[in-house]
Amino acid sequence: MSSERLAALLDEYAELEQRLADPAIHADQGTARRVGRRYAELVPLHKAAGELEQARADLAAARELAAEDPAFAAEAEETAGSLPALEERLAELLIPRDPHDAKDVIVEIKAGEGGEESALFAADLLRMYTRYAERHGWVTEVIDAQDSDLGGVKDVSLAIKTKGVPEGGNGVWSRLKWEGGVHRVQRVPVTESQGRIHTSAAGVLVLPEAEDVDVTIDPNDLRIDVFRSSGPGGQSVNTTDSAVRITHVPTGIVVSCQNEKSQLQNREQAMRILRARLLAAAQEQADAAASDARKAQVRTVDRSERIRTYNFPQNRITDHRIGYTAYNLDLALAGELDGVLDALAEADRAARLAGETELSRR
């Protein structure tokens, strides 16, 4: 356990507590929210450190009393037995956490191979994440969507936010960051007349939503084009050029939005997505430049292709990264995702602990 790191984080906690007590900070809601999120991240650490310090003080007092009265020996032994668990909890909290865990997210879902069936599956995933958000009391907002002819979605961007400051600094990203990758479905499509099972897929990209202070964008680096919105089948749904396409020239990232009625609103929504993508790109570059030990702490669950399969005939959901299988697909699609997400979080926790142990031996 790093006493220097612990002391530094407890000093930061005390400083943030003072800042939040100052009414002036609440004049800037953006600053207040960022400070509040960081403070919430450190609350569990402060609590665990206090409990360990108190347990050690109680143990010293019990041993002192036991030297004079053997009746206190049992109390001293019980207190001593509680220390390892408290020390392990504090050591776990001291491991560097994902810096984006307190953030809200933008979930992008794109239909892939499989034509109309893939678009219908993408719509199923959109409902699944929306219902999961509702179960957790989060707020959802469809930023942009392109519908398909049969009621599916070809491409959709969904913002998911917590209400207020997330407890313990565990925001939407801390739960949904595992969802990025290719999701595969096996079922009989509504367009299949012979009753044959087809396999199709949809891609999911989860981005921590960036704030203005996270990403600096030079307006000179942007190329902005406007065009008319289109609906299913490509027909025009707007008589004005309200849709917006923004190209970030240095990176080549292209974002378009057409859901809103005004060009200004579509531009604002497109900038939200662009900031999130630029933040994710910057994080990937930082991870690539980091040492193997640091990368093991930051990103331990592989976000590879074909991360999960949804098998309708067997009512089965399988996450291929950790070998998780459950036969409750109907419940998962209704928003009960905590089973698979808890398993992914536990795999990441174990890997981070193992990585920290390995790092400490070097």
Side-chain angles (χ1 to χ4, degrees), residues 5-282:
R5 175 170 169 76
L6 175 60
L9 291 174
L10 292 178
D11 286 344
E12 183 184 0
Y13 173 90
E15 178 188 351
L16 294 174
E17 191 172 42
Q18 288 184 340
R19 290 186 66 185
L20 289 172
D22 183 357
I25 194 175
H26 299 286
D28 183 343
Q29 288 301 310
T31 300
R33 183 172 173 82
R34 286 191 297 273
V35 173
R37 281 177 170 175
R38 179 56 177 163
Y39 177 78
E41 289 179 6
L42 295 177
V43 165
L45 177 74
H46 178 265
K47 181 180 178 182
E51 290 176 349
L52 179 58
E53 182 180 3
Q54 184 61 54
R56 286 171 173 170
D58 291 345
L59 176 59
R63 283 175 172 172
E64 185 176 339
L65 292 170
E68 300 176 1
D69 185 351
F72 287 97
E75 180 181 341
E77 184 176 344
E78 181 180 352
T79 304
S82 70
L83 291 182
L86 292 172
E87 291 170 345
E88 181 179 354
R89 170 63 175 158
L90 185 57
E92 181 179 339
L93 290 170
L94 281 171
I95 296 175
R97 61 184 290 166
D98 188 325
H100 300 312
D101 271 352
K103 288 186 176 295
D104 300 323
V105 305
I106 294 176
V107 180
E108 298 184 5
I109 306 172
K110 298 179 185 294
E113 298 179 0
E116 190 64 44
E117 164 62 7
S118 177
L120 291 170
F121 177 51
D124 290 337
L125 293 177
L126 173 62
R127 283 189 292 271
M128 180 180 75
Y129 292 128
T130 301
R131 290 169 179 170
Y132 182 75
E134 291 171 351
R135 289 175 178 272
H136 285 262
W138 297 337
V139 178
T140 61
E141 173 194 4
V142 174
I143 299 176
D144 193 58
Q146 296 182 34
D147 298 329
S148 70
D149 294 329
L150 296 183
V153 290
K154 298 177 182 178
D155 192 344
V156 61
S157 296
L158 177 71
I160 306 179
K161 297 184 175 184
T162 58
K163 294 180 180 178
V165 176
E167 183 178 352
N170 295 314
V172 184
W173 173 259
S174 71
R175 293 299 289 170
L176 295 186
K177 59 185 172 182
W178 324 115
E179 294 303 287
V182 174
H183 295 239
R184 184 177 67 172
V185 62
Q186 296 171 328
R187 65 182 176 188
V188 178
V190 294
T191 55
E192 170 59 57
S193 59
Q194 302 298 319
R196 294 172 296 187
I197 296 174
H198 286 226
T199 297
S200 60
V204 176
L205 179 64
V206 183
L207 305 169
E209 181 153 13
E211 301 177 48
D212 290 339
V213 297
D214 296 324
V215 177
T216 301
I217 300 177
D218 186 343
N220 295 322
D221 289 338
L222 302 179
R223 186 173 69 244
I224 301 176
D225 303 303
V226 295
F227 56 98
R228 292 187 181 181
S229 302
S230 62
Q235 72 269 26
S236 176
V237 297
N238 201 331
T239 58
T240 62
D241 293 336
S242 61
V244 173
R245 181 185 300 109
I246 299 178
T247 303
H248 186 250
V249 177
T251 61
I253 295 175
V254 180
V255 178
S256 61
C257 280
Q258 63 176 20
N259 266 32
E260 304 296 339
K261 294 181 179 180
S262 78
Q263 187 181 123
L264 178 60
Q265 290 173 316
N266 280 321
R267 176 172 174 160
E268 290 175 349
Q269 298 290 47
M271 287 298 293
R272 287 177 65 184
I273 299 175
L274 178 60
R275 280 194 294 268
R277 290 189 183 177
L278 288 173
L279 178 63

